[in-house]
């Protein structure tokens, strides 16, 4: 839109070091009031750190912040809230064992907060959620919400607190295209309300669509700033990576071979004991990548967990290389040629406090070459870890650093590297590129395609349609625990896919059938 | 702090030393800090701090006999502390070492006063094994309750403490009661079943060597073995463990059984090495003090040796303080508490390592 009148926020020469790592090195940005400002950069470029400094979570080593012309020195996120600055973090800051309304109460700085009535809060939540078209149930427990729903709760929470400057850390990473469109529209509306939005992203198409201005960070510095209309995705990508990015992936060379993995009429329940997967059947052949698209919370997580032996199938069979593996424990399944890249790797795929070395052997800690006679074989573990790190260009302080010191993208690269190193026949991937940057995405996507060309069978569950279109041979659509359609990876059918994902296609068919039934009923009368 | 990382092949000795040095520095600084505050406290209470510390520390380690007495007290503390390191690494909050010690002492006594036909060395081994197995079973009971009924082990282990202590009372007034004695106590173990002493004329017996061996074994188990790795993974991230096919239930049971087993062994050693018979309050709270030993050691079994000795010094010193300096024993408890608090504070301070950039 228009170039901002006066800057509402200036961050000047912000520096922040963690040990030997300079997360921010004299980074400066300037944001105008009522502007949508995009901050892009690879993982580890320092975007989140810069924003955490803005929101009072971290304190800068040097530099200053001017907010509405006044110097801003924040000691805590609470103070940021008081200055009407709010942030939606990449890892949600919600208490899972409380309801949505209780979480909102929890986030208030008011000393009277224990006296607040959640019903009043619920009313205000409902009002806000209507106004911005963000669906949120105030009385739902956060632990029961899907990732996408939790994010809606987070965004609304910031609005609830009356924020004027809203920071969103990769908000679209977990959303479907429809939800993304709605979010981007919401950002526009907020800007029209003279609210200022900073959003961190590495999805350049979204940046181009919605932002007024954009800054690129690399290695802790702001290396590029421009009005969005004066730049283009190619330039932004080059600035982010510091070199030209090849945009094409290896060609499909696959001709599917024999069946590796098959699922027949699988049923299973979620943590609440409710049916989550309701009669799913499919087969995957050698050299084939099957995608499962769907809005998060439609049974994909449970499907992945059931296939990995983490939750029991209440009905149906699962076969790997002809052998029935339904009913086997996760331990037994891990000894078969199956690898699993789980959803939310930081929670399910790694042990954050342990070093890379000990995370490299998570499934093979008791087997050769990593263990001999029950004792860990340090040398073998180290050289294996070193190889993983080098092969996938994992940026790290060394293989003895705790894995939580790595950025999200580098953790994901490490997990992908570890799983592929197990030489599986069948690979379950749940969210391959969620929350990771272009360079890392490209690398892991290429790695998955290489596996396909090595005749592996791959199941790719994803909410990122771009990823599905780029990688899959067929896309299955999951809705309400069932597979409701199958499409070729043809971008021209995006709309159809969206309808299937939201269940509208089914509703429409039901409606048509009902109407047809009524009409024919009329006719016979 | 919580992770003793796998040693690098590059300059292992140097790395290990510097790491160990850094790791040891915080607790030592913390203990010194706590002692400083304690001195202040003593001074404020009208005691001459320097004299008191003199009595307490020097009194506890002044001659061969007092050193031996300290090590005698350190033996059960080290064993229990080492076991709790394993449990705590698995995020199992075993508060039941006291009960597990009683279970072990009871089983050891039952074996000791029976099976007289066995050769002495085998009989001693049987006593120690019986104590360990009973302690492990007592611990595993809480583990099973947790695994199958999701009962918090904090609650169940505390309750099992009472049961074990009361069962011991029953045993020494009933089935195991020495018919010749009027007190509630068991018969005395035959002299050839006493653990050999090796520093005459002191009472120091081979139990301390067993405790040291247990510490080394537990360290190797936790940080060098596959099984110990699984225990730590379950303790740090049960969700990732499940995904990796590591059974949470099995490792929980293993960890609490090891910790109970070592507490039971401590009980057996108290019987075979110190008391030679079972009576009602066989433990002066070793099971609870062991928790502090493990915490002070940051759940590192090797460090638990040092922290076990420290607590034994405080314990011995407290007796001396009472006798020679008339300092009430409660003040010694305050000093112990200060040590734990300041170690906790220092390690929290150290935990602020680098954060991920992004």
């Amino acid at each position: 839109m228009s170039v901002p009148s006066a800057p509402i926020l200036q961050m000047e020469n912000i520096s922040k070091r963690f040990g030997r790592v300079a997360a921010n090195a004299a980074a400066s940005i300037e944001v105008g009031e009522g502007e949508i400002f995009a901050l892009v950069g690879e993982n580890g470029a320092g975007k989140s750190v810069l924003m955490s400094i803005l929101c009072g979570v971290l304190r800068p080593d040097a530099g200053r912040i001017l907010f509405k012309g006044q110097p801003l020195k924040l000691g805590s996120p609470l103070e940021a809230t008081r200055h009407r600055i709010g942030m939606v973090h990449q890892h949600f800051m919600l208490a899972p064992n409380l309801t949505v309304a209780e979480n909102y109460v929890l986030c208030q700085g008011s000393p009277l907060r224990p006296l607040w009535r959640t019903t009043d809060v619920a009313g205000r939540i409902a009002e806000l959620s209507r106004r911005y078209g963000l669906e949120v149930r105030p009385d739902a427990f956060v632990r029961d919400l899907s990732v996408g729903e939790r994010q809606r709760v987070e965004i609304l929470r910031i609005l609830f607190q009356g924020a004027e400057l809203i920071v969103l850390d990769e908000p679209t990473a977990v959303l479907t295209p429809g939800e993304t469109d709605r979010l981007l529209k919401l950002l526009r509306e907020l800007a029209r309300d003279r609210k200022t939005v900073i959003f961190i992203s590495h999805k350049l198409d979204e940046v181009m669509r919605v932002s007024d201005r954009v800054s690129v960070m690399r290695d802790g510095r702001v290396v590029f700033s421009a009005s969005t209309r004066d730049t283009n995705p190619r330039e932004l990508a080059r600035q982010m990576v510091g070199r030209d990015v090849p945009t094409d992936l290896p060609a499909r060379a696959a001709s599917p071979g024999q069946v590796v993995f098959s699922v027949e009429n699988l049923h299973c329940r979620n943590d609440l004991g409710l049916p989550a997967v309701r009669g799913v059947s499919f087969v995957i052949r050698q050299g084939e990548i099957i995608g499962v698209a769907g809005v998060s919370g439609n049974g994909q997580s449970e499907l992945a967990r059931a296939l990995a032996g983490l939750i029991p199938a209440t009905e149906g069979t699962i076969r790997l290389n002809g052998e029935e593996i339904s009913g086997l424990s996760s331990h037994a399944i891990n000894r078969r040629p199956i690898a699993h890249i789980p959803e939310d790797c930081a929670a399910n795929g790694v042990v954050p406090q342990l070093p890379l070395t000990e995370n490299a052997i998570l499934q093979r800690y008791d087997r050769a070459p990593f263990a001999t006679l029950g004792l860990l074989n340090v040398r073998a573990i180290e050289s294996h870890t070193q190889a993983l790190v080098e092969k996938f260009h994992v940026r790290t302080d060394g293989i003895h650093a705790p894995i939580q010191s790595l950025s999200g993208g580098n953790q994901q690269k490490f997990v992908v590297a570890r799983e592929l190193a197990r030489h599986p026949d069948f690979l379950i991937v749940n969210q391959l590129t969620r929350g990771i940057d272009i360079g890392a995405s490209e690398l892991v996507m290429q790695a998955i395609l290489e596996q396909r060309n090595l005749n592996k069978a791959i199941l790719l569950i994803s909410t990122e349609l771009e990823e599905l279109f780029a990688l899959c041979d067929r896309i299955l659509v999951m809705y309400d625990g069932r597979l409701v359609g199958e499409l070729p990876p043809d971008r021209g059918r995006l709309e159809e896919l969206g309808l299937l994902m939201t269940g509208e296609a089914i509703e429409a068919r039901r409606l048509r059938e009902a109407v047809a039934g009524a009409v024919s009923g009329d006719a016979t009368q | 702090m919580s992770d003793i990382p796998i040693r690098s092949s590059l300059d292992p000795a140097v790395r290990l030393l510097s790491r160990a040095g850094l790791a040891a520095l915080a607790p030592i600084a913390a203990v010194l800090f706590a002692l400083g505050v304690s001195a202040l406290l003593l001074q404020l209470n009208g005691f001459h701090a320097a004299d008191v510390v003199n009595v307490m520390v020097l009194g506890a380690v002044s001659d061969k006999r007092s050193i031996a007495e300290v090590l005698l007290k350190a033996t059960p503390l080290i064993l229990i502390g080492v076991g709790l390191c394993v449990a705590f690494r698995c995020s199992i909050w075993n508060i039941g070492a006291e009960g597990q010690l009683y279970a072990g002492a009871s089983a050891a006594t039952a074996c000791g006063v029976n099976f007289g036909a066995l050769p002495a060395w085998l009989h001693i081994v049987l006593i120690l094994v019986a104590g360990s197995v009973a302690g492990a079973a007592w611990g595993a009971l809480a583990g099973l309750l947790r695994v199958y009924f999701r009962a918090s082990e904090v609650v169940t282990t505390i309750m099992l403490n009472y049961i074990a202590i009361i069962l011991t009372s029953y045993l020494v007034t009933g089935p195991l009661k020495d018919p010749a004695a009027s007190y509630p106590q068991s018969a005395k173990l035959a002299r050839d079943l006493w653990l050999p002493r090796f520093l005459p004329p002191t009472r120091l017996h081979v139990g301390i060597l067993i405790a040291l061996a247990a510490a080394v074994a537990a360290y190797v188990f936790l940080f060098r073995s596959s099984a110990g790795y699984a225990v730590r993974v379950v303790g740090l991230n049960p969700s990732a463990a499940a995904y990796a096919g590591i059974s949470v239930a099995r490792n929980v049971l293993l960890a609490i059984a090891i910790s109970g087993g070592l507490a039971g062994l401590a009980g057996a050693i108290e019987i075979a090495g110190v008391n030679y018979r079972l009576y009602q309050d066989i433990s002066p709270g070793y099971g609870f003090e062991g928790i502090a030993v493990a915490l002070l050691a940051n759940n590192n079994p090797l460090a638990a040796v040092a922290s076990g000795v420290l607590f034994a010094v405080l314990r011995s010193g407290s007796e001396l303080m009472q006798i020679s300096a008339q300092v009430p024993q409660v003040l010694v408890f305050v000093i112990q508490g200060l040590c734990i608090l300041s170690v906790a504070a220092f390690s929290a301070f150290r935990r602020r390592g680098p954060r991920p950039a992004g």
Side-chain angles (χ1 to χ4, degrees), chain A residues 241-280:
Chain A
V241 187
R243 59 181 164 86
D244 273 312
V245 183
T247 43
D248 34 29
L249 292 161
R252 277 170 221 283
S255 50
Q258 67 198 62
V259 172
V260 175
F261 192 78
S262 69
V263 173
E264 229 180 277
N265 191 32
L266 182 73
H267 287 256
C268 62
R269 293 171 185 278
N270 64 14
D271 296 340
L272 302 173
L274 301 171
V277 176
R278 311 197 291 173
V280 163

Side-chain angles (χ1 to χ4, degrees), chain B residues 246-270:
Chain B
I246 298 173
S247 163
V248 174
R250 190 184 310 167
N251 283 290
V252 162
L253 284 173
L254 177 67
I256 199 166
I258 289 175
S259 120
L262 288 176
L265 180 59
I269 288 175
E270 284 298 288

